[in-house]
Amino acid sequence: ERVCIRTTCGEAGLTVVGAIMLEVPAVPSACHCAQLCLDHYADGCRGWQWFHEEDAVFHAQAAPHQHLRCFLLSDATPHPEATPTQGWASGTPGVLVTGVSPAGVEVGAEVVLRVQGQPLGTAMSRIRIVEDGAGCGAPVPTSTSGA
């Protein structure tokens, strides 16, 4: 069984508005912050913001001083009209597939595919059906039909 999901780590400068449910220090990247949101999805995480800033301190150090913070948000809404802010990246968990049925089908049988997850029914929700063993870039079989 193969599932192909494009992974993204937010959008630099995008502002996601929502109540802060958890602040986590020393998170090394936007991808780590996104994973924390997925880890806390059942707790209500619906978006995240990651802040990264380097600054110089007034004494010699081998590495620059960094501020790395992840904010997990509840009821998050992307706010594309906001002015991009340097040092910030934000995102939402995106489509989260929690189940697919049936697990298998007989060749030539008509089947209704059911996918459970969040948020389904949006422009982000798409399924690509390919031949067994084929990669996600393979053409859709001609025997496949439906909306």
Side-chain angles (χ1 to χ4, degrees):
E1 181 175 315
R2 185 181 296 198
V3 176
C4 300
I5 298 173
R6 184 176 160 261
T7 57
T8 59
C9 297
E11 186 174 327
L14 174 70
T15 301
V16 174
V17 179
I20 296 172
M21 59 179 276
L22 183 62
E23 180 179 344
V24 184
V27 175
S29 73
C31 291
H32 286 88
C33 190
Q35 182 61 52
L36 284 171
C37 188
L38 287 172
D39 293 346
H40 289 274
Y41 189 85
D43 301 326
C45 187
R46 297 299 179 266
W48 54 270
Q49 295 177 329
W50 181 70
F51 177 68
H52 172 254
E53 179 180 62
E54 290 186 7
D55 56 27
V57 293
F58 296 104
H59 55 83
Q61 279 187 325
H65 179 247
Q66 295 184 348
H67 301 272
L68 304 166
R69 290 215 163 307
C70 177
F71 301 90
L72 302 185
L73 311 172
S74 60
D75 301 318
T77 305
H79 190 56
E81 296 84 32
T83 303
T85 307
Q86 186 175 1
W88 288 88
S90 300
T92 61
V95 175
L96 194 61
V97 175
T98 58
V100 177
S101 65
V105 297
E106 291 183 31
V107 174
E110 187 171 313
V111 65
V112 174
L113 179 65
R114 288 182 175 34
V115 179
Q116 297 86 35
Q118 294 288 332
L120 298 177
T122 67
M124 295 170 51
S125 306
R126 298 185 314 155
I127 294 175
R128 181 176 187 89
I129 299 174
V130 297
E131 297 282 349
D132 186 27
C136 292
V140 175
T142 57
S143 60
T144 303
S145 66

